[in-house]
Amino acid sequence: DAGVIQSPRHEVTEMGQEVTLRCKPISGHDYLFWYRQTMMRGLELLIYFNNNVPIDDSGMPEDRFSAKMPNASFSTLKIQPSEPRDSAVYFCASSPAESSYNEQFFGPGTRLTVL
Amino acid sequence: GQQLNQSPQSMFIQEGEDVSMNCTSSSIFNTWLWYKQDPGEGPVLLIALYKAGELTSNGRLTAQFGITRKDSFLNISASIPSDVGIYFCAGQLYSNYQLIWGAGTKLIIKP
């Protein structure tokens, strides 16, 4: 079975550019999470969705960040405009409903570098 | 906000040694999870604990849910080279379903 798929795996961009990260959750999973990982702050939950609906976006750093889930098999995290401090590894994870999203399955991550 | 204290931050061990790491919190959790992250990959769930006092094994890994519900430990017996990586604890609060993550324990095996 395919796991969580993220693209791109690596992204290098210049400050001020728009960045879009993509995620395909595991089929049948009702919850989708976006995390950011840095050395300084560790794993931070940015936002999560239940059945395509955003439930909690309190972890989104600021208005430059936005996330959408137009359907059950696709989500995007957009940063516009990007800044060097956004450089991090961004993970998408999904979870089946019956586990009450305890057991989150992570994608391989997108390593973002903003110059 | 809620915090998990995970220790140690890193460990240098010889192959074959046993490893122990733990997480503590000032909050009560209803679930403890242990994940491992290999370089360049996302975290992978190792063990999930759902009851206070629960002791669960997964091969050479053993984890326990503390009686107070405020702590958990993970032991790895007879470490091997593929055990290297970063181990994260995560707790789920009673009050909501969000996971709170520890800062990770980096395991390094001395050559």
Side-chain angles (χ1 to χ4, degrees), chain B residues 48-82:
Chain B
L49 302 160
Y50 298 104
K51 295 181 185 178
E54 180 181 353
L55 186 72
T56 297
S57 294
N58 178 6
R60 294 178 295 104
L61 276 61
T62 302
Q64 185 158 27
F65 192 143
I67 289 291
T68 64
R69 296 183 179 273
K70 294 182 179 180
D71 62 342
S72 177
F73 71 73
L74 174 70
N75 286 340
I76 305 172
S77 63
S79 57
I80 60 177
S82 61

Side-chain angles (χ1 to χ4, degrees), chain A residues 9 35 37 43 45 48 56 91 100-104 106-108, chain B residues 31 33 35 37 40-43 45 50 88 92 97-99 101:
Chain A
R9 290 295 308 272
Y35 286 89
Q37 186 178 40
L43 266 171
L45 177 65
Y48 75 92
D56 186 347
F91 288 104
S100 299
Y101 59 91
N102 285 339
E103 299 179 21
Q104 297 179 17
F106 283 75
Chain B
T31 301
L33 304 167
Y35 282 81
Q37 184 177 21
E41 301 294 332
L45 181 66
Y50 298 104
F88 291 97
Q92 185 186 51
Y97 285 106
Q98 287 200 23
L99 290 183
W101 293 82

Side-chain angles (χ1 to χ4, degrees), chain A residues 15-75:
Chain A
M15 182 174 63
Q17 296 298 307
E18 177 179 295
V19 174
T20 299
L21 311 181
R22 296 172 177 80
C23 175
K24 177 177 167 51
I26 294 172
S27 177
H29 282 193
D30 291 336
Y31 290 90
L32 183 140
F33 308 83
W34 281 102
Y35 286 89
R36 178 172 66 178
Q37 186 178 40
T38 61
M39 289 292 291
M40 291 296 295
R41 301 174 68 92
L43 266 171
E44 300 174 277
L45 177 65
L46 301 177
I47 184 172
Y48 75 92
F49 296 82
N50 180 21
N51 291 321
N52 313 338
V53 176
I55 302 301
D56 186 347
D57 65 354
S58 59
M60 296 285 260
E62 49 198 272
D63 292 345
R64 297 184 297 106
F65 285 69
S66 62
K68 293 182 180 179
M69 192 165 185
N71 57 62
S73 59
F74 184 65
S75 177

Side-chain angles (χ1 to χ4, degrees), chain A residues 97-113:
Chain A
E98 62 266 24
S99 72
S100 299
Y101 59 91
N102 285 339
E103 299 179 21
Q104 297 179 17
F105 295 80
F106 283 75
T110 295
R111 181 173 293 278
L112 174 64
T113 303

